[in-house]
Coordinates of all heavy atoms in Angstrom, one line a residue:
Y27 N 85.6 126.2 114.3 CA 86.2 125.5 113.2 C 87.6 125.7 113.1 O 88.4 124.8 112.9 CB 85.5 126.0 111.9 CG 86.3 125.6 110.7 CD1 86.4 124.2 110.3 CD2 87.0 126.5 109.9 CE1 87.1 123.8 109.2 CE2 87.7 126.0 108.8 CZ 87.8 124.7 108.5 OH 88.6 124.3 107.5
P80 N 99.1 126.7 105.1 CA 97.8 126.7 104.4 C 96.7 126.5 105.4 O 96.7 125.5 106.2 CB 97.9 125.5 103.4 CG 98.9 124.7 104.0 CD 99.9 125.6 104.7
T81 N 95.7 127.4 105.5 CA 94.5 127.1 106.4 C 93.3 127.6 105.5 O 93.5 128.4 104.6 CB 94.6 128.0 107.6 OG1 94.9 129.3 107.3 CG2 95.6 127.4 108.6
A82 N 92.2 127.0 105.7 CA 91.1 127.2 104.9 C 90.3 128.5 105.3 O 90.3 128.9 106.4 CB 90.1 125.9 105.0
F83 N 89.5 129.0 104.3 CA 88.4 129.9 104.5 C 88.7 131.2 105.3 O 88.1 131.4 106.3 CB 87.2 129.1 105.2 CG 86.8 127.8 104.6 CD1 86.5 126.8 105.3 CD2 86.8 127.7 103.2 CE1 86.1 125.5 104.7 CE2 86.4 126.5 102.6 CZ 86.1 125.4 103.3
S109 N 95.6 127.7 100.7 CA 94.9 126.4 100.7 C 94.1 126.2 99.4 O 93.5 127.2 98.9 CB 94.0 126.5 102.0 OG 93.1 125.3 101.9
L111 N 91.3 125.1 99.7 CA 90.0 125.5 100.3 C 89.9 127.0 100.6 O 89.6 127.3 101.8 CB 89.6 124.6 101.5 CG 89.6 123.2 101.3 CD1 89.3 122.4 102.6 CD2 88.8 122.7 100.1
Q130 N 98.7 124.8 98.3 CA 98.4 123.5 99.0 C 97.3 122.8 98.1 O 96.3 123.4 97.9 CB 97.9 123.7 100.4 CG 97.5 122.5 101.1 CD 96.0 122.1 100.9 OE1 95.1 123.0 100.6 NE2 95.7 120.9 101.1
Y132 N 94.6 119.5 97.6 CA 93.9 118.3 97.9 C 93.6 117.6 96.6 O 93.3 118.3 95.6 CB 92.6 118.6 98.6 CG 92.7 118.9 100.1 CD1 92.3 120.1 100.6 CD2 93.3 118.0 101.0 CE1 92.4 120.4 102.0 CE2 93.4 118.3 102.3 CZ 93.0 119.5 102.8 OH 93.1 119.8 104.1
T158 N 98.8 117.8 100.5 CA 98.4 117.3 101.8 C 98.0 115.8 101.8 O 97.2 115.4 101.0 CB 97.2 118.0 102.4 OG1 97.6 119.4 102.5 CG2 96.7 117.5 103.7
A161 N 94.8 113.3 104.9 CA 93.3 113.6 105.0 C 92.6 112.8 103.9 O 91.9 113.4 103.1 CB 93.0 115.1 104.8
L164 N 88.1 113.6 106.4 CA 88.3 114.6 107.3 C 88.3 114.1 108.8 O 87.4 113.2 109.1 CB 87.2 115.8 107.2 CG 87.6 117.1 107.9 CD1 88.7 117.8 107.0 CD2 86.4 118.0 107.9
R167 N 85.9 116.4 114.0 CA 85.9 117.5 115.0 C 84.6 117.7 115.6 O 83.7 118.2 114.9 CB 86.4 118.8 114.2 CG 87.8 118.6 113.6 CD 87.8 118.9 112.1 NE 89.0 118.5 111.4 CZ 89.5 119.2 110.4 NH1 88.8 120.3 109.9 NH2 90.6 118.8 109.8
D170 N 82.6 120.9 115.3 CA 82.0 121.1 114.0 C 80.7 120.4 113.8 O 79.8 120.9 113.1 CB 83.0 120.9 112.9 CG 84.1 121.9 112.8 OD1 84.0 123.0 113.5 OD2 85.2 121.6 112.1
L203 N 81.7 120.2 106.1 CA 83.0 120.0 105.5 C 83.5 118.5 105.6 O 84.0 118.0 104.6 CB 84.1 120.8 106.3 CG 85.5 120.8 105.6 CD1 85.4 121.4 104.2 CD2 86.5 121.7 106.4
F207 N 84.3 116.4 102.2 CA 85.5 115.6 102.0 C 85.1 114.1 101.6 O 85.7 113.6 100.7 CB 86.3 115.5 103.4 CG 87.4 116.5 103.4 CD1 87.2 117.8 103.3 CD2 88.8 116.1 103.5 CE1 88.2 118.8 103.4 CE2 89.8 117.1 103.6 CZ 89.5 118.4 103.5
H258 N 98.5 118.2 110.7 CA 97.3 118.9 110.4 C 96.7 119.7 111.5 O 95.6 119.8 111.7 CB 96.3 118.0 109.7 CG 95.3 118.5 108.7 ND1 95.3 118.1 107.4 CD2 94.4 119.6 108.7 CE1 94.4 118.7 106.8 NE2 93.9 119.7 107.6
R261 N 94.1 118.0 113.8 CA 92.7 118.0 113.3 C 92.3 116.7 112.6 O 91.2 116.5 112.1 CB 92.5 119.2 112.3 CG 92.6 120.5 112.9 CD 92.8 121.6 112.0 NE 91.8 122.1 111.1 CZ 90.8 122.9 111.5 NH1 90.7 123.3 112.7 NH2 89.8 123.3 110.7
Q262 N 93.4 115.8 112.4 CA 93.1 114.6 111.8 C 93.0 113.4 112.6 O 92.1 113.1 113.3 CB 94.1 114.5 110.5 CG 93.8 115.5 109.5 CD 92.3 115.2 108.8 OE1 91.5 116.0 109.0 NE2 92.2 114.1 108.1
Ligands
LIG1 C1 91.0 121.8 106.2 O1 92.0 121.4 105.6 C2 90.7 121.6 107.6 O2 91.6 121.0 108.3 O3 89.7 122.0 108.1

Side-chain angles (χ1 to χ4, degrees):
Y27 169 66
T81 51
F83 309 140
S109 171
L111 303 183
Q130 176 273 335
Y132 281 123
T158 296
L164 199 71
R167 299 126 189 210
D170 290 346
L203 188 62
F207 266 60
H258 210 119
R261 292 159 76 79
Q262 287 298 107

